């Protein structure tokens, strides 16, 4: 499946740690020993370039660290997604096509508040809601199994629609956001995707920043708009 590009809650590094790493890997140049002139200018430049390259490598590693919980969900769904005829998964694509973990706020206890996101590529531009919620129920249940001990604002299940705007891969991405409370109810064998659909629709108040959300637009949590949407749920953070 495609690489998982998600930010780990454990992936953090201080400016001092980066500086120490660079200093330990690249010996400081004595200006008297390596004057910035002639051939030695090239040597000094190489030393500086090596330091910057190492720094860049450290930063890139941190920003692309993987979260094991999201990986496990993605692996499980790749083998265990439903196959509804009104919301078929696109053939020849990785399923899920993306899995990400976003930290959107800080809880009163100091721990992060997350929004895990799973994206499912569909082979239709107009999926049926029954099929959509079969996918949502399976994905939300799998996410909740991994994150039930964390502070979660909602589980986002995104759908990439095959609208033909980019060849066979469309631009349109829609989303269903499920609260942890509704995801918990999926553990009851008498509560199925139809019950989930009804409860999400009833609870959707039109605010894209507050789950549940019934077939809304996808949120880019890495952008300013995503942050703004996340802030819409700030009042509910303490109760998450």
């Amino acid at each position: 499946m495609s690489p998982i590009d998600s930010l780990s809650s454990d992936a953090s590094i201080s400016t001092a740690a980066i500086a120490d790493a660079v200093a330990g890997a690249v010996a400081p140049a004595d200006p008297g020993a390596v004057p910035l002139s002639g051939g030695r200018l090239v040597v000094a430049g190489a030393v500086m370039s090596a330091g910057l390259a190492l720094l860049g490598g450290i930063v890139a590693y941190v920003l692309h660290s993987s979260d094991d919980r999201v990986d496990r969900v993605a692996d499980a769904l790749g083998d265990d997604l439903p196959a509804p005829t009104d919301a078929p998964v696109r053939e020849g694509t990785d399923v899920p096509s993306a899995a990400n973990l976003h930290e959107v706020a800080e809880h009163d206890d100091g721990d992060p508040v997350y929004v895990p996101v799973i994206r499912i590529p569909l082979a239709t531009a107009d999926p049926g809601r029954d099929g959509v919620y079969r996918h949502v129920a399976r994905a939300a249940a799998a996410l909740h199994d991994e994150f039930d001990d964390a502070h979660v604002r909602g589980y986002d299940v995104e759908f990439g629609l095959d609208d033909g705007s980019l060849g066979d891969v469309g631009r349109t991405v829609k989303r269903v956001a499920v609260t942890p409370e509704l995801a918990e109810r999926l553990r009851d064998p008498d509560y199925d995707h139809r019950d989930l659909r009804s409860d999400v629709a009833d609870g959707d108040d039109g605010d894209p920043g507050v789950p549940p959300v019934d077939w809304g637009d996808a949120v880019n949590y890495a952008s300013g708009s995503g942050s703004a949407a996340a802030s819409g749920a700030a009042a509910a953070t303490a109760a998450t």
Side-chain angles (χ1 to χ4, degrees), residues 105-113 150-153 181 230-240:
E106 182 177 298
H107 195 271
D108 287 347
D109 62 11
D111 289 339
V113 177
H151 299 302
V152 174
R153 185 164 63 80
E181 293 76 17
S231 67
T237 297
T240 303

Side-chain angles (χ1 to χ4, degrees), residues 201-214:
D202 289 344
D204 186 355
D205 65 359
D207 186 342
V210 180
V213 175
D214 178 32

Side-chain angles (χ1 to χ4, degrees), residues 61 63 76 97 105 109-110 125-126 130 137 149 152 155 175 185 188 197 200 204 218:
Y61 175 79
L63 292 180
S97 60
D109 62 11
D126 186 22
D130 185 78
D149 59 349
V152 174
Y155 301 109
R175 140 184 177 264
R185 297 192 66 183
D188 181 347
R197 176 183 177 183
V200 169
D204 186 355

Side-chain angles (χ1 to χ4, degrees), residues 132-224:
V132 161
Y133 272 91
R134 288 180 187 271
H135 289 305
V136 171
R138 180 65 191 95
L143 287 166
H144 191 58
D145 285 345
E146 290 291 342
F147 288 93
D148 62 347
D149 59 349
H151 299 302
V152 174
R153 185 164 63 80
Y155 301 109
D156 279 12
V157 184
E158 297 180 341
F159 294 90
L161 305 186
D162 190 6
D163 59 14
S165 58
L166 289 175
D168 292 333
V169 181
R171 291 181 184 272
T172 306
V173 179
K174 304 295 284 187
R175 140 184 177 264
V176 174
V178 178
T179 63
E181 293 76 17
L182 291 179
E184 177 70 25
R185 297 192 66 183
L186 288 166
R187 290 174 170 171
D188 181 347
D190 293 328
Y191 187 89
D192 64 12
H193 69 283
R194 290 163 291 191
D195 299 311
L196 179 65
R197 176 183 177 183
S198 177
D199 287 342
V200 169
D202 289 344
D204 186 355
D205 65 359
D207 186 342
V210 180
V213 175
D214 178 32
W215 205 239
D217 293 330
V219 173
N220 183 359
Y221 294 99
S223 72

Side-chain angles (χ1 to χ4, degrees), residues 62-108:
V62 172
L63 292 180
H64 292 85
S65 294
S66 179
D67 187 279
D68 290 342
R69 293 168 295 184
V70 181
D71 288 345
R72 287 193 293 268
V73 172
D75 289 341
L77 291 182
D79 300 325
D80 193 27
L81 272 175
T85 57
D86 62 340
V89 172
R90 193 179 305 148
E91 293 184 6
T93 59
D94 291 328
V95 181
S97 60
N100 299 282
L101 179 63
H102 301 278
E103 182 177 330
V104 296
E106 182 177 298
H107 195 271
D108 287 347

